[in-house]
Each structure stands twice: as structure tokens, then as C-alpha cells.
Amino acid sequence: MVLALLSPASAFASPTAPATGVSAGITPVTRVDPAATTPSGPAWLITKNAMVTGPERTALLDVMMRQIERQQAGDTIGLTTWSFYSERIANALIDATKRGVSVRVVVDPKTWETRAVRMLRKALGTSASAPSHIVAPYTASTHTKVGTFSHDQTVLISSANISDPRQWNHSVVLQNPDLYRQTSAWVDRLAAGNGMRYAKVATPGVVLHFYPGTVDPVLDAIRNADGERITIQMSIWKGTRGQAIADALVQAHRQGSPIAINTGEPWSDAVRKVAAAGIDVFNTLRATGGRAKAHDKLLVVGDEVYTGSTNWGAFPRRFSEVVAHISSPELAAQLVDYVDRTRVQAGGAPIFPAPTPQPLAVEPGAGSATATWSALGPY
């Protein structure tokens, strides 16, 4: 199957005015930022708008669909997620197995009986030793949201489950063979039942911390901010660890770091402590009257990005989680802009001045299912 690359104008087309030049049957994604540079290769940011319907809201699932469709006979897909409700994605994975792709899915036991998971259980089987499978191997929570795709050696790190609720979420797709190899091996260990221990996957400028464990790069980053701008979009923030993060933010504020925070849950004691210190805190759930909330787990300190699946609640000693630390000024700027847009979409005022548009470093060429992603992203 050939996937056409979108032009710069069509890449950000309005949902009501679909872009042209897209393969038949595929809806254009409207929110994929231009490729950001990392020391380990390109990264693409995909974001969604919880307050609309259509492609801008389904952008994360649309990108996952494209990646599934790109995989060919002999390729391997690995997915881990807390919940799996999307029958659209389930059907795409089943179709992939029919063309010879190995599909390996790990879900949390709490969603073992959803219709989408039952579809995959029937089609893939539940033996972790088989080339394709779906398993729920733990009584503790599998909360990681990771995808690995062998065809173009990509790793997807997301705050989103495989569903489409009224939530702000984002995904980052990284393209690097070594990062792919290490992360894919971790997914297989998780499926086999021996992945519930701390592991670190590292390539230049990118570190993936897989939990359970006690390493806390988020807290360390805030404590070491040294006056740098701090931007946060966080779903759940409470408990002993949440209080420690709040204390670090108050100290960073006193030391001159500009801080802006979007939250996604009712205010906890930790968030009240931050707000009481005069730090800018915006509650997306309250602002939308309970219609939508930020589900992200995002921290940006200067040019350093910390994202993944881990809320700032109880430390992940029993849960399967991931925190991705990515060093990239471009990706950091894109995510700061995303936090700003989220607040505006929820009905608030802009946090930061509009960024200066940056020209694409690479012009797109003719693309195919076997081509490396263009500067425009995963099409």
C-alpha cells in the first residue's frame, strides 16, 4: 500500500476541509508537528484537541493506524497499554496478522473483557511464546503506553490509551534502530512475565526509564532547573511523591524559574501548595465544566522533555510505567506550544507569546510504505 506525503499546507488543514493527495480511505491527520531533531534521530509530536470532533481529535489513533498499515509480511508490531477500547485499531491489527505481521499486545487485566480485547484474543491467541499474541500478565497494573514498529524502526511513547475519550493527550514518535531494538525487547520481556523491574533504554539524547523502580528523573529535573522555564501538563498529581514535586516547584519558582501548569484532575493538596505559592495553575477539568481534561504526563524544563505514562501520584513500585527523557530544543518548543494551545482550547487565555514559525528543514518527496518518514511526520 502506498501512502502519499502531505504538503505543508495540507498537513495542518482544518478538519472541515480535508487535505488532498491522501491515500483512499485514510483521513488526514491535522496535528503532526514538523520533525524535531534529537541526538538519536528525528522525533515527531502528535497532539489532539479534546474539544472538537473529527481528525484533530482522532490524530493519535490516526497515526497509529498509519503505522499499523505500513507494516508488511515479516515485520513486528509491539503495543503496551492500560486500556484498549478501539475496535478500529483492533481490526487493523487483525488485518496486519493476515498479511504476515507479528502482532504482540500487552494490556492491563482490568480491560481483558472489553470487546476490542476479546476480538484480539480470538484472532491472536494468548500465548506469549507465539509470534502474535495478546496477554495481560500481571495482577498489578500495566500502565505503560508504548508502540514499536519494525518496518521503519520507530518507537511511539504516549500519554494516551488505545481509545478516544474527551482528553488532551500527545504522542512522540522516535526513529532510531537501536532505540527500537532495545524497546521492542523490553515489550517482549513484559509480555513473557519478566519485565516488571526497572530497566533503562538509552541512546544519545534519549533515555526511557521503565518501571517499577525508584529512579525519579522528573523530580531531579525540577530541583536542577536553575532558573529555566518549566512547563507542565499533568493528569493526576497527589500523594507523597506529588508533594515532593510540589515542594521542588515552589523552590524553583523562588529561584526565578517561570512556571506554567495545566492540570487534569480536581486540585489535590500538592496542586494547592503550588498555586498558593503564586505559580500559574490552570485546571482543564474545571474550565471545561467536566467535559474534557488534560490526561498528559508532561514536564518540560528548558530544552529537556520528560513525558510518558507516569502520573505524579504513588511512585510506580508495582506498576509497569515509562518516563521518556528527550533532549531536544525543537521538541521542547513544540510541547510548550501544545500546553499553551491546550489552555486556549479549554477556554483559558494564552500562556506564552506565539512562537515564530520555523521553516521545514527537509522538503517532502515522493513517499511509500517503505520510505523513511518525511519532515512532515508519519504519513
Side-chain angles (χ1 to χ4, degrees):
M1 178 180 180
V2 176
L3 302 182
L5 297 179
L6 300 184
S7 67
S10 62
F12 300 96
S14 165
T16 59
T20 59
V22 181
S23 300
I26 300 180
T27 305
V29 174
T30 59
R31 196 68 225 194
V32 179
D33 282 64
T37 302
T38 81
S40 283
W44 290 267
L45 173 64
I46 306 98
T47 57
K48 63 175 287 188
N49 181 348
M51 299 303 292
V52 298
T53 58
E56 193 172 349
R57 178 172 163 185
T58 61
L60 305 187
L61 292 182
D62 290 348
V63 165
M64 185 171 286
M65 282 287 293
R66 281 172 170 76
Q67 276 301 89
I68 293 168
E69 291 172 341
R70 289 168 72 92
Q71 310 309 301
Q72 303 300 321
D75 290 331
T76 301
I77 297 170
L79 294 175
T80 73
T81 186
W82 182 76
S83 65
F84 197 138
Y85 287 92
S86 174
E87 295 175 27
R88 172 190 175 204
I89 298 296
N91 280 318
L93 292 171
I94 292 168
D95 288 344
T97 63
K98 293 176 181 177
R99 60 179 184 268
V101 179
S102 293
V103 175
R104 302 163 185 179
V105 183
V106 184
V107 297
D108 187 83
K110 297 182 204 56
T111 56
W112 193 240
E113 297 299 331
T114 67
R115 178 173 170 79
V117 170
R118 291 200 309 270
M119 291 164 58
L120 290 172
R121 285 161 54 186
K122 181 178 179 180
L124 308 183
T126 58
S127 172
S129 62
S132 291
H133 53 254
I134 181 168
V135 296
Y138 304 114
T139 54
S141 180
T142 299
H143 197 249
T144 320
K145 300 104 167 58
V146 167
T148 60
F149 303 91
S150 68
H151 193 71
D152 46 3
Q153 308 284 284
T154 54
V155 174
L156 182 150
I157 305 292
S158 187
S159 64
N161 295 297
I162 302 179
S163 55
D164 184 33
R166 283 280 188 177
Q167 297 174 344
W168 281 275
N169 276 300
H170 70 280
S171 298
V172 176
V173 180
L174 300 153
Q175 188 172 57
N176 176 277
D178 191 38
L179 188 68
Y180 164 78
R181 178 185 57 79
Q182 294 186 66
T183 308
S184 181
W186 177 84
V187 172
D188 286 344
R189 290 197 301 271
L190 186 68
N194 61 2
M196 284 294 282
R197 62 181 186 274
Y198 176 76
K200 183 166 72 172
V201 168
T203 58
V206 178
V207 180
L208 307 184
H209 299 272
F210 288 105
Y211 294 89
T214 57
V215 177
D216 198 341
V218 165
L219 183 57
D220 291 343
I222 296 170
R223 285 174 172 170
N224 297 323
D226 195 24
E228 294 174 293
R229 182 169 67 181
I230 298 173
T231 309
I232 292 168
Q233 190 148 303
M234 173 52 57
S235 177
I236 298 174
W237 185 355
K238 61 184 179 181
T240 303
R241 180 176 178 237
Q243 289 282 354
I245 291 172
D247 289 339
L249 284 166
V250 171
Q251 184 63 24
H253 173 66
R254 290 171 180 165
Q255 293 174 345
S257 284
I259 303 175
I261 300 169
N262 291 344
T263 67
E265 298 282 345
W267 280 16
S268 64
D269 288 344
V271 177
R272 289 191 184 94
K273 178 181 288 188
V274 170
I279 295 171
D280 178 10
V281 182
F282 180 83
N283 189 311
T284 58
L285 187 68
R286 180 181 299 169
T288 63
R291 290 179 296 150
K293 67 174 185 178
H295 186 255
D296 308 84
K297 299 88 170 63
L298 173 65
L299 166 72
V300 182
V301 179
D303 293 337
E304 305 297 312
V305 172
Y306 301 82
T307 186
S309 66
T310 309
N311 292 303
W312 292 350
F315 206 85
R317 289 193 172 95
R318 296 176 60 246
F319 295 175
S320 164
E321 300 273 16
V322 63
V323 172
H325 174 195
I326 305 167
S327 299
S328 171
E330 294 163 285
L331 183 63
Q334 290 172 357
L335 281 161
V336 167
D337 176 61
Y338 164 60
V339 173
D340 197 27
R341 285 188 283 112
T342 298
R343 187 175 291 197
V344 172
Q345 290 164 1
I351 311 168
F352 306 115
T356 303
Q358 297 296 316
L360 294 176
V362 181
E363 289 298 322
S368 72
T370 59
T372 298
W373 288 5
S374 78
L376 292 176
Y379 292 98

